[in-house]
Every structure is written in structure tokens, then in C-alpha cells.
Amino acid sequence: MKAFTYKSAASEADAVAALGPGAVALAGGTSLLNLMKERVIEPSVVVNLKSVAGLDKIEAAGDGWKIGAGVTIAALLENPQVVKGYPALAEALETVGTPQIRNMATLGGNLCAKTPCLYFSHDGFACLKRGNGNSCPAKDGDNEFSAIFGTVMPCVSVHASSASPALIALGARLRVAGSGGARELPVEEFFVLSKDDPARENVLKQGEIVTHVILGKPAGKSATYVALHKASHDWPTALASAALDMGEGDLVRTARICLGGVAPIPWRVQAAEAALAGKKVTPETASAAADAAMAGAAPLSQNAYKVKVAHTALKRAVLLAARGSWK
Amino acid sequence: MPYKWPEKRQVIGTKVPRLDGALKVAGKAKYSYDRNLPGLLHGKILRSTVAHGKIVTLDLAPAEAMPGVKAAMSIKKVGDIVRFGGDEVAALAAETEEQARDAIRAIKVAYESLPPLASEEAGLERNPPPPPQTTEKGLKIEEAFAKATVTSEGFYGVAVITHVCLETHGLVADWKADDDLVVYCSTQAVGNTRNSLKNHGPFKAIANLKVTCETPFMGGGFGSKFSADLQGTVAAELARKAKRPVKLMLERDEEHWAGGNRPSLFAKVKAGADKDGKLVALDVESYGTGGNSTGVDMRLPYIYLPEGHRIRNRDVNVNAFNKRAFRAPGSPQACAVMDQMMDDLAHAGGWDPVEFRLKNLPGQGNPLVNLSPIWEKELKMGAEAIGWKQGYHKRGDPAAGPIKRGLGCAINTWGGGPGGAQASCTIAPDGSVEVRCGTQDLGTGTTTLVPIVAAEILGLEIKDIQGKIGSSAYPDAGGSGGSTSCGGVSLAVGVACMKALEQIFAKAAPALDAQPGDLEAEGGKVYVKAAPAKSLSWKQACALLGAQAITAVGDKADKEIQGMAASGVGGAQFVDVSVDVETGQVRVNKVVAVADCGLVMNRLLCESQVYGGVVQGLSLALFEERRLDPRSALMLNPDMEWYKLAGHSDLGEIEVHLLDYPERGVIGIGEPPVIPTQAALANAVTNAVGVRVGVLPITPKRVLDALAKK
């Protein structure tokens, strides 16, 4: 690891001021410290956010909740209102890492974590996302775990966040603080798929930090289905989060569906949402929605199987949300 | 007088918890990693970042000038070829680990890239291609197939896996004097580790060099830790240069690159059976890699012997580290090929897989014929325990929905005869007993075994025995490999104690007004067999020694040993899985393992070996695979994140049945239980989903790709 200066920020303003060029923000550290040890990231300054007052709070806000970015995954899962009000989020968080990781990792860190790509953190390869190469070594290499959507983009990594698809499906917003003050934006708009800057997966600028996740009124039905290879401590093969706003006669008024583990950013699938609108949720309509979503998939040489897995995850998430069981 | 195990046993075969278990769980057991000697330096190795290349620049001077660096050395020189990603190039030692890491990065090194072989398939296609090695036995292959009424064809294989020892390879080297080296090495062979250092080129010339290897505890070897290894000799050289102790333990990625791996094996198989369900013909075209210059450990045909067979194997080189022995070398791969084949052939003929195996157990002419009654018993026990009658169905679970359940089985064999070992037993006039043996505890429970044997022979309790192992200063014993330690150590310790007891009896006999041959030691007493009331307490008997302790030496090679150990075990395993055909995920419901190991020495740790074998077997069956980048041959998953290992939640229920054959004597159990799990699981998956996945590990990709081809 490259030697660095360590600063503990007492406040948001403190943190923002300390996050100058060459500085990175440290939350739970479960991802960042590994990348620093591997020298994927070599910051000159590390700014500790865990010391920022208030970032570890879960507060009621209007009809919903304002969750500090420093709240750990474990703390969120221990909060009965969050678990009950937003099943899609809880079900996504349950599969993150291990108990030890969930005790350290934060919600903000989950949103901002770097890709678990085989090549990104490997010293032996030049990689677009890492910023030391002109092409994506996964594209023609070992891409069994790579993206199946957005693969026309220069980088075919998958996004690390399991929480983000749920937050997008739930229509959550983020509060971001920077030197110019704070702003709010939908989680969906936080992520960017950039052809020109594959190193980037979100809109954060130097000196900006995510401070809060804002969840609206718990409404409708939501669920996440995570397809894993190992039963625990594994990156999802694919996951899907669905939030359904139900109208009369058990018909879906609107649906919001987002996939994870399948693209460089969380992948909202509006085709699937449209396919469900006005329909009753049945295995057939859920499967048809998944068909609509997968029409946009463009798998690589070794990961066609992920289309089937993502299809399954989407279908089951919708069924789980609507009926409490996918079986 | 011949040496035999006592007919009536008090300690042997009981359930004795690990004597060092509490130390281990409390973190008080000192492993090599924990040897933080005064003045310790930290060693690191510079490793190649290309899998195949020629070193064109190598300059240590910038590193030597870095803060804290006390010694540096090259391992290869300019012009040398590196043959795998992670090949050793140079090394240094510094005051702190961080300084050593930084200094390694300061070494100036450059490579001229050479084209790498990055996969078995690439290795097969190289020009000229590797020549096939052919073995043919029995009937000519065409004649054998002419007898077949049913044939099946399949492609089966297992990927290269790495050992992933939890405690990585390495040692701490401490020169007590110019000719006195002590190493604390994570090794499964303290004697051979000492020898490898004594014979190391730069040390050979040191007159009267004394080397001692101390390994009271070690964290896993699985066949990959039989010598000081390159990192060990490097640490000793650095320590000698710096005149300070040096610790050099591999980091996790180094452990994957250069700590050891098991060869792959892929086989295109055609097999035939006659109308009675007898295997008559087997034709195999296989290939696999043992690294950049070694081959697979070919053990086909495994167990079942058709009337005619032909094995054509190609050993393929890739630019990766060479293989090491791995728990039952060659056998899990051979079993994965043979027992998947047997399942497919049974399916083709419409025979029940268990019945088909029973019918084809080794008969006359097969060297394993004597194990057939054991397998027969095991297959029947295992089938009963897994619920074969109720749970087995024709290939493809007819149940509705995406979760399909299936059962599978496989059988295994291994040698496990006693390895070379000597031991000493010292009895002091105060009655204390110390037993020394230069073996080591690979994690299999040898630390606990030694007092079990001594207590049994001397008629004492385990707490009365001081067992000393894990040092090359003790009487020589072989490495813990081939499942040979339990047999060899039990014999050496047993005979040493029997000989020492003879001396005690000689002293006690006059006091009891008897002949030495009339005496027995049991329950802490020495007494006259025919008149048990005539007795001395153990302490009283030992007090008769006078001022001098006695020491007796036992040797496994003693000609007087009769029937105390044997070789050759059979085992059978059954696996019950559920497979999600829409995600490709396999869940293990239950594993039944029936294992035989002759005379059971410690029932608890013997069972523990079988559990461990099954756990490792499941991990290999479902998750473990070394991934090389298809262009550069660099390993892509030298970690525990993408080199996937089973966790507790992946294992399901494991049920172990030990068969007792005390009349056969001690036979090792360390390796055999890992052999059949992969094949049994693969067969269960096929039974569930209706198609053969064939290649392990059975990942979601392999399951879904196989189903897509259906």
C-alpha cells in the first residue's frame, strides 16, 4: 500500500474540504482497503467519514426515512421499519458479503463501491476502468462473470452494488454534499454509463460525498431476488429488484424493476416494467416481463448463461413482490 | 516375541478430542506465522508479472538502497526464463513487512515476453503436439467392444485446483550459529524440510551444519508442503546474509501462484457393457496439465477393470506453476472420470447405478479383489442411509417446478500403508513417560494419536503421557503424505512402548515373584496376569528403575511386527442434491460417507478426517477452479473472492459411517474420503436435471450450458 495521510472528518464540511485532489473517502473500508493494498487506488490522503456526525443515523423523514450513508448494512438489517417497509432493500442487503463484512460495510459504500471484475483489481492487466489501459481485458478474456447488458460500451464490468437496484426500484433519492453545498437526486441519476470515461460509474465529482439515502413512503409491494453460486459470501450471478404499485383488481398500475450484477451500472429495465403495467402478476406475465427485459441483453463469449439467470431473477422478484413467494 | 496390538483395547478406538484443540481455538498455539523472534526481518519475493518470458533486466541496487533493507538476493538472473505468472525472480529482507513490500517494487526488472500457453486446449494445439502415452490391457479394444451390447460416450473432467492452505507456505529462519540453523516451517515433513535445507546448494559446504525444523502446529498442507521449498531456502539465505532471523510466509496470491496445484484431467470416454451388465470395454482419450513441465497423475482405469481397455493420455504443458501432490494424487480425477462413466453406462443399459456398481466390483485378476466385499457392504449401507430406494428415480426429476432433486454415488480406494517412522519411549523412575517421534501433525490429529498408543500399551491414561512430535530433532519419521502417518507412527510408538515396558517388567518381576512374561500393565498397575492381586502401582514399578530413566526405540521397520498395519481401503459416498434449473445453482441436501480404515485409532478424529474429506470434496465439486487468463496465462483469481471455497451454508448434512476392521490393523484415512465426493455429486446432479454436466466444478454456467444443449 502506498503511504498516505489520514484525516478524520468531524463534519460534512470538514470531509468535503479534505477531499482535494488525490484524496479518497473511507467509510467501512471493506472494498477500499483491498484496492489500496492491491495498489489499484493509490490515494495520497484518506478521509475517514465514519467520524462525521450524523452519518450513522436512521431518521424518520416525512412519510419515509433518511438514512445516513455511514449506516452499516448490519444496522439497516436490524431496523424493523426498514426491513418491513422496504423488503426489496432488506432482501438485497441480506446477501451482501458475510456477517463480518455487513458489520463494517456501509450503505454509502455499497453505492460507491468499485466493480468486482476479475481484471480491474489485477496488477497484470491494463484496464480501462482502472485507468491504466486503452481496452477492456475482460471483453475478449474471461468474461464468465461480466456484463450482459451495455456490452457495446468499452468496459464490460458489472457494478458491485446489491442495494442500488432496490433503491432504484423503490424510487429512492440521494443527498450529495460538496463544496457548493448539498443537492438531491434520484438514485437512478446517480449512476452513469460513460463511453468517454469508463473509470466513472457515478456522478460524484472530486470533493463530493453521498451523505444520505432518502426513502419515500413505504408503499406497494417490493422484493429482490438474488441468484448466487455459493449460498453465501459470493457476488450475485444476477439479481433483480422489483417494486409494484398495485391498482384495483390486483392489476399492476406501475412497476419499477432494476437488475444488478449484469451491467457496469445498475440496469433498470423499462421494457419489463411496461410489459407488466395493467396486468395481473402471474408466472406467465412475470416471465413475459423478463422476456421483454432480456430482449436487450447482449452477452459476451462466455456468459450467455447469465441471461437465463437474470431472467429468472427478474421473474422471481416480480412474483415475490406480488405474491410473497416465487414458487 | 512378535509385536501385536493388545486384543482387549482400552484407549485405541475411543473418541479422544484433540489434545491441542483448546490451544488452537484460544489462539495460543504458536504457528510459524507467530514466531516473532527478537530482531526478526521480513522477507519478500519479487515474482514475474508475465507467465512466460526472458529476464532482460534485473537490478537489485535500487531496492538495496531502500529504507530498512538488510539483505537482497537474486533467484534468477538476466537471460533466465520465467515459466509462470508469479515465478520467483529475486528476494530481500527488511525491518518491516511494509518496507520489504516497497523495496520489492524498487527492483528494476524487465522481461522479453514469450508466447504463453494459457489453457490445456492451447497446450494440445502446440506444434508439435504432446505425444499420447498409450496403455492397453486385456482384450484388444475392438474385440472388447465387440462383446458389448450397450455403449455410452461422454466427456468428463476436473479443472486445475489449488491447495489454498489456510496457513500459507513459508518459514522463519534463525541461525543460532554459523553452522546451526533452526527453522519454524509450515510443513508436513519436518525431517525432509531439514534435509532439503542441509542439501541446499549454498549450505552444503558448511562443515557440520546442523539444521532443526520445528513445527509443533501447522495450518494445512494437503500434499503441497514436503520440503523447505524455494521460499524456505531463500529465507534461510537472507537470514544468513543479514545475520538476523527472517520470516518469509507467502501472501495469499503467492500461495495460489506457487503454493501448489492439482493437475486437471479431461477425458473423452467410450465404454461398453455386455447384456448382463458387465463392463467389458473402455476407451479413453484424455489430457490434462500438471503445469509447465509435469504431467497428470494418471490412475485410469480406476477400480473397475473391463475385459479390454485403452487409455491414450496427453500430458499438456501450460505456463503455470507445476503440480504438487494433492490429497490422494490422481485419484479424485480418475474417480470423476470412471464413476461418471459408470453412471452413464448404467443409464444407457437401464440398470440401477448401485446394482451396476455391485455387479462390476473388482473380481479375480483385479488387484483390488479383496476390497470388493468391503465395497459391497459400503454400497448397501450408503444406499440405505441416503434413502436410495425411495429417492432414486430415472434420470431427470419428474417433479414440477424448477427445483430438481437427485441422488448419486461413487466409490474409491487408496493405499494408506504405514510410512517409515521411528519413535522413542522414555520412562523415568518417577513414572513419567515421554514419547518422541519426528512426525508432525498435519491437522489429522497425530499429536493426539501418540499418547493414545502409548497409554494403551503402558496401561496408563492419556494425561500420563508426554507426547513430543513436530521437531526434526526427534527420531526420524516420514512426511505426512499418502495417508501413511497414522500407520507408521502408531507402529513406531507402539513398539517403542512395548520395548520399554519389557524393561519395566524385567524390574518388576522379582518384586512380584513372577517372570517378566507373566506380567501385564493395565489401569495404572503392573500385575501378574494369573493373579491380579499381586500388583504394583505404575509408580512403584517405575521406582524399581533406580536412578536411571530408560529409553527404548521403536521402528516401523521392525521385523517382529505382526499384523499391526495394512494397506488398501475402500469407501463409498452418496450425495443428495437439489438443482435449480433456472439459475444453475446446486444445493447439497445430504452426503453419506462410508469409509473403511482397518483398526480405528481415534474414532473422533477419524470421523473428522472423513468429514474434512467430504467438505473439501464438495468445495472442489461445486466451486474450486484455477482461472488463467486465456491470453496471458496469468491467474485471474489468486484470492478467496473469485477462487471460491465452500462455506458452512454450502455443505448440507454430512453423515459419516466408519467400518471397523480391527483385524486388518491400522490403515490411513486422510486421503480416501476426498476422492469420491466429486463424482458422487456430479452423478446426483445428472440424476436431478437429466443431463450430464461432466466437467467439474459444477457451476451455474456449466449447468445452464448443459441444459441449453439438451
Side-chain angles (χ1 to χ4, degrees):
Chain A
M1 179 181 306
K2 195 182 122 188
F4 56 87
T5 307
Y6 182 76
K7 293 181 183 170
S8 243
S11 66
E12 261 177 46
D14 233 17
V16 167
L19 281 167
V24 294
L26 169 70
T30 56
S31 168
L32 180 70
L33 294 186
N34 287 337
L35 296 174
M36 287 170 65
K37 283 186 204 163
E38 299 290 334
R39 291 183 180 252
V40 178
I41 298 174
E42 297 187 301
S44 49
V45 180
V46 172
V47 180
N48 175 29
L49 300 184
K50 289 191 294 287
S51 48
V52 172
L55 285 195
D56 59 350
K57 296 253 182 322
I58 303 174
E59 299 165 285
D63 292 335
W65 295 88
K66 190 173 169 191
I67 302 168
V71 172
T72 65
I73 307 289
L76 267 171
L77 286 169
E78 281 161 18
N79 184 297
Q81 286 101 334
V82 170
V83 171
K84 196 151 175 289
Y86 313 94
L89 180 59
E91 287 157 7
L93 296 175
E94 275 168 6
T95 64
V96 171
T98 61
Q100 290 92 332
I101 289 171
R102 294 194 287 274
N103 283 338
M104 288 302 292
T106 64
L107 184 59
N110 189 276
L111 290 167
C112 300
K114 286 289 184 181
T115 176
C117 174
L118 289 173
Y119 291 90
F120 171 71
S121 57
H122 196 303
D123 247 346
F125 298 93
C127 159
L128 267 174
K129 186 169 270 304
R130 187 166 171 171
N132 63 350
N134 300 316
S135 63
C136 172
K139 226 169 196 178
D140 306 314
D142 182 345
N143 51 43
E144 182 171 333
F145 309 114
S146 300
I148 52 169
F149 287 96
T151 48
V152 294
M153 299 302 283
C155 160
V156 295
S157 66
V158 297
H159 199 270
S161 176
S162 289
S164 299
L167 294 174
I168 289 169
L170 292 164
R173 297 174 68 78
L174 290 182
R175 180 175 174 277
V176 170
S179 53
R183 62 192 164 109
E184 268 191 32
L185 73 167
V187 174
E188 200 177 341
E189 289 173 21
F190 178 69
F191 296 103
V192 288
L193 191 60
S194 169
K195 205 168 183 146
D196 305 323
D197 189 3
R200 168 179 291 280
E201 52 277 324
N202 61 51
V203 298
L204 281 185
K205 296 194 279 279
Q206 185 69 51
E208 284 191 324
I209 55 169
V210 174
T211 66
H212 294 87
V213 171
I214 298 147
L215 284 162
K217 183 180 170 188
K221 295 166 177 265
S222 77
T224 295
Y225 186 88
V226 184
L228 294 163
H229 178 194
K230 283 170 62 179
S232 75
H233 198 195
D234 202 0
W235 293 100
T237 313
L239 68 84
S241 295
L244 308 176
D245 181 16
M246 304 302 287
E248 279 172 32
D250 274 347
L251 299 181
V252 174
R253 190 177 297 129
T254 55
R256 288 174 65 92
I257 302 173
C258 187
L259 300 170
V262 296
I265 58 169
W267 201 256
R268 190 173 165 195
V269 277
Q270 273 137 330
E273 297 171 359
L276 274 180
K279 304 250 170 59
K280 201 168 189 160
V281 173
T282 65
E284 291 71 32
T285 57
S287 193
D291 289 345
M294 295 311 133
L300 301 163
S301 58
Q302 293 169 52
N303 66 3
Y305 78 102
K306 281 186 74 166
V307 178
K308 175 75 179 170
V309 179
H311 184 280
T312 303
L314 196 160
K315 182 177 71 179
R316 292 183 186 176
V318 168
L319 288 168
L320 266 173
R323 300 151 46 134
S325 164
W326 60 263
K327 284 181 180 164
Chain B
M1 200 176 79
Y3 298 110
K4 295 180 187 171
W5 293 119
E7 302 263 323
K8 206 172 75 186
R9 292 175 288 271
Q10 313 285 338
V11 192
I12 286 176
T14 60
K15 291 195 166 191
V16 184
R18 271 176 212 279
L19 297 177
D20 51 2
L23 285 178
K24 285 181 173 178
V25 297
K28 288 178 180 165
K30 287 246 180 284
Y31 289 80
S32 299
Y33 255 107
D34 302 319
R35 300 283 174 176
N36 294 316
L37 307 177
L40 186 72
L41 298 176
H42 297 267
K44 288 284 168 206
I45 294 175
L46 172 71
R47 294 176 180 275
S48 70
T49 50
V50 297
H52 195 199
K54 188 184 195 175
I55 301 173
V56 292
T57 305
L58 181 59
D59 181 7
L60 303 185
E64 287 170 312
M66 291 284 284
V69 175
K70 297 294 170 193
M73 59 183 276
S74 57
I75 298 170
K76 290 189 177 62
K77 54 186 190 306
V78 169
D80 284 352
I81 304 292
V82 293
R83 297 184 193 281
F84 63 95
D87 205 347
E88 300 87 355
V89 176
L92 52 78
E95 296 281 358
T96 70
E97 203 173 356
E98 291 74 18
Q99 287 174 333
R101 279 203 195 105
D102 287 348
I104 282 290
R105 293 171 58 86
I107 295 173
K108 280 205 163 49
V109 63
Y111 309 92
E112 180 191 311
S113 281
L114 298 168
L117 292 167
S119 66
E120 287 90 339
E121 288 69 29
L124 272 181
E125 283 161 17
R126 84 185 288 186
N127 195 16
Q133 297 137 320
T134 304
T135 51
E136 284 188 84
K137 283 220 174 101
L139 293 180
K140 283 270 167 216
I141 196 72
E142 297 78 13
E143 293 168 26
F145 274 106
K147 290 191 149 193
T149 55
V150 175
T151 59
S152 79
E153 290 181 48
F155 184 77
Y156 315 108
V158 280
V160 172
I161 58 95
T162 67
H163 292 64
V164 212
C165 304
L166 199 53
E167 181 190 36
T168 58
H169 287 61
L171 56 73
V172 177
D174 186 17
W175 291 86
K176 303 282 187 193
D178 289 347
D179 57 359
D180 186 359
L181 171 63
V182 176
V183 296
Y184 305 92
C185 182
S186 180
T187 180
Q188 55 194 97
V190 290
N192 197 52
T193 296
R194 170 198 59 205
N195 298 346
S196 65
L197 285 160
K198 282 185 89 151
N199 295 326
H200 178 53
F203 302 157
K204 260 188 175 167
I206 302 173
N208 301 317
L209 173 63
K210 183 183 163 203
V211 179
T212 314
C213 175
E214 301 284 354
T215 310
F217 304 97
M218 63 90 69
F222 312 105
S224 68
K225 290 181 175 169
F226 282 109
S227 76
D229 255 343
L230 187 133
Q231 69 277 352
T233 55
V234 159
E237 283 193 56
L238 290 169
R240 192 165 174 234
K241 272 192 186 183
K243 298 190 185 306
R244 303 255 299 263
V246 169
K247 181 192 282 187
L248 205 170
M249 304 294 292
L250 300 188
E251 304 207 24
R252 182 53 57 191
D253 50 7
E254 300 178 285
E255 180 73 11
H256 280 290
W257 293 330
N261 62 77
R262 185 178 86 178
S264 54
L265 184 67
F266 300 92
K268 198 175 141 221
V269 179
K270 187 180 173 194
D274 66 16
K275 62 179 184 348
D276 300 325
K278 287 287 269 186
L279 178 69
V280 290
L282 175 69
D283 195 11
V284 176
E285 264 191 282
S286 63
Y287 62 92
T289 186
N292 62 74
S293 64
T294 60
V296 304
D297 301 307
M298 176 49 69
R299 285 185 184 260
L300 288 172
Y302 186 70
I303 300 180
Y304 315 101
L305 203 55
E307 290 186 37
H309 72 259
R310 177 172 64 178
I311 314 290
R312 288 174 291 177
N313 179 61
R314 287 174 206 269
D315 282 334
V316 175
N317 293 139
V318 301
N319 283 105
F321 186 58
N322 278 339
K323 74 173 178 212
R324 292 267 168 100
F326 182 95
R327 211 168 179 175
S331 302
Q333 300 96 308
C335 181
V337 170
M338 283 302 271
D339 253 314
Q340 290 197 84
M341 173 279 287
M342 288 294 280
D343 234 51
D344 284 349
L345 193 53
H347 172 68
W351 300 301
D352 175 274
V354 175
E355 293 298 326
F356 186 59
R357 282 173 176 79
L358 286 169
K359 197 169 279 182
N360 284 290
L361 289 175
Q364 290 310 322
N366 185 324
L368 300 172
V369 62
N370 290 340
L371 290 174
S372 288
I374 294 176
W375 276 312
E376 188 178 339
K377 194 168 169 185
E378 289 173 333
L379 279 166
K380 287 176 177 168
M381 278 175 72
E384 176 75 30
I386 202 80
W388 188 267
K389 254 187 198 148
Q390 309 81 359
Y392 182 75
H393 46 71
K394 292 251 185 248
R395 192 164 282 192
D397 183 358
I403 309 296
K404 308 294 187 188
R405 197 159 175 181
L407 298 180
C409 68
I411 64 173
N412 66 286
T413 185
W414 186 252
Q422 296 170 16
S424 67
C425 171
T426 300
I427 302 176
D430 66 357
S432 63
V433 180
E434 185 176 285
V435 178
R436 297 179 167 205
C437 181
T439 184
Q440 51 282 316
D441 194 334
L442 178 60
T444 52
T446 315
T447 298
T448 311
L449 173 70
V450 168
I452 287 176
V453 174
E456 180 71 59
I457 301 302
L458 301 175
L460 298 172
E461 291 181 41
I462 285 172
K463 64 173 174 48
D464 301 325
I465 313 293
Q466 288 292 314
K468 302 264 185 179
I469 68 165
S471 170
S472 65
Y474 300 147
D476 267 349
S480 293
S483 304
T484 61
S485 282
C486 188
V489 170
S490 295
L491 266 54
V493 170
V495 171
C497 293
M498 290 177 203
K499 286 183 171 179
L501 189 60
E502 284 170 12
Q503 297 185 47
I504 297 291
F505 284 174
K507 295 280 183 189
L512 290 168
D513 195 17
Q515 294 300 310
D518 299 335
L519 302 185
E520 186 116 314
E522 199 190 308
K525 285 188 177 134
V526 174
Y527 62 90
V528 181
K529 260 182 277 185
K534 287 169 75 177
S535 74
L536 295 170
S537 73
W538 176 257
K539 283 201 172 196
Q540 285 169 335
C542 294
L544 298 171
L545 291 172
Q548 281 289 320
I550 54 149
T551 294
V553 175
D555 191 330
K556 171 254 158 187
D558 198 311
K559 296 271 187 297
E560 296 296 308
I561 292 173
Q562 272 187 8
M564 290 175 71
S567 175
V569 296
Q573 289 183 18
F574 287 73
V575 178
D576 173 348
V577 296
S578 292
V579 185
D580 187 333
V581 295
E582 291 182 347
T583 65
Q585 196 197 29
V586 177
R587 299 288 289 133
V588 179
N589 301 314
K590 185 173 178 177
V591 180
V592 171
V594 194
D596 135 56
C597 66
L599 171 65
V600 176
M601 298 304 280
N602 180 349
R603 197 162 299 276
L604 189 65
L605 297 193
C606 189
E607 284 171 358
S608 180
Q609 283 302 296
V610 184
Y611 282 114
V614 171
V615 169
Q616 192 164 34
L618 290 175
S619 188
L620 295 168
L622 290 171
F623 305 119
E624 298 189 42
E625 178 169 21
R626 182 184 70 191
R627 309 183 77 92
L628 298 183
D629 174 57
R631 294 148 305 185
S632 65
L634 295 176
M635 186 174 174
L636 291 171
N637 56 345
D639 50 42
M640 286 181 166
E641 181 177 11
W642 287 109
Y643 188 92
K644 298 186 182 188
L645 294 154
H648 291 281
S649 44
D650 295 306
L651 299 177
E653 181 191 353
I654 301 171
E655 193 176 295
V656 172
H657 299 266
L658 291 183
L659 292 189
D660 284 278
Y661 288 100
E663 67 280 8
R664 301 174 69 208
V666 187
I667 317 175
I669 190 73
E671 285 159 299
V674 84
I675 297 170
T677 322
Q678 285 168 277
L681 183 135
N683 289 336
V685 168
T686 297
N687 184 239
V689 305
V691 295
R692 177 61 62 185
V693 178
V695 173
L696 299 130
I698 297 184
T699 59
K701 172 180 164 58
R702 291 199 174 106
V703 171
L704 294 176
D705 286 354
L707 284 166
K709 272 194 239 152
K710 191 173 169 179

